[in-house]
Amino acid sequence: MADHRVTMYLDEIKKQCLSLFGSLEVFPQVLRIVFAHELGHAEDASLKELSDLLDACDSELERKRIALRIEENAWEYAKTLIPEEDQSLMQTVVYYSLKSYRDAIAGEIA
């Protein structure tokens, strides 16, 4: 956050693309979606405050909720950057990106 850079791990994004879609055919679109998400983090006016809350949090459940909020904020911004993107593709990437965060919270509540 301090150096105002966005790092894209292309090999990891390719692995995710293969895992989700079974090929690299949609890799350019997935890369665009993930890049928009990372820009969402960079543009999130509440990221500093949420990060500070995350660092100071004593409750594991609250930490997970804050982490989910950070990710959801970035996805909401991403959607505004690339509204023309294939919505089915976008929804799939967003769903699986947030799934582990949501599952972790559901596991804490259960």
Side-chain angles (χ1 to χ4, degrees), residues 51-93:
S51 294
D52 290 345
L53 287 172
L54 193 63
D55 290 341
C57 196
D58 293 329
S59 160
E60 189 60 28
L61 178 57
E62 190 58 26
R63 286 182 59 74
K64 291 174 181 178
R65 286 182 172 154
I66 294 167
L68 175 60
R69 176 78 285 169
I70 289 169
E71 292 304 308
E72 288 174 334
N73 286 356
W75 281 122
E76 288 306 312
Y77 186 83
K79 290 174 187 177
T80 69
L81 284 180
I82 51 173
E84 73 287 350
E85 193 59 65
D86 178 313
Q87 290 305 298
S88 176
L89 194 67
M90 181 85 159
Q91 288 172 358
T92 299
V93 173

Side-chain angles (χ1 to χ4, degrees), residues 15 23 28 31 37 47 59-60 80 99 101 106:
K15 287 179 192 175
S23 79
L31 179 61
H37 170 77
L47 182 59
S59 160
E60 189 60 28
T80 69
K99 186 177 182 332
Y101 293 92

Side-chain angles (χ1 to χ4, degrees), residues 25-38:
E25 185 176 326
V26 294
F27 175 71
Q29 294 95 321
V30 171
L31 179 61
R32 190 170 34 255
I33 290 167
V34 173
F35 185 64
H37 170 77
E38 294 307 323

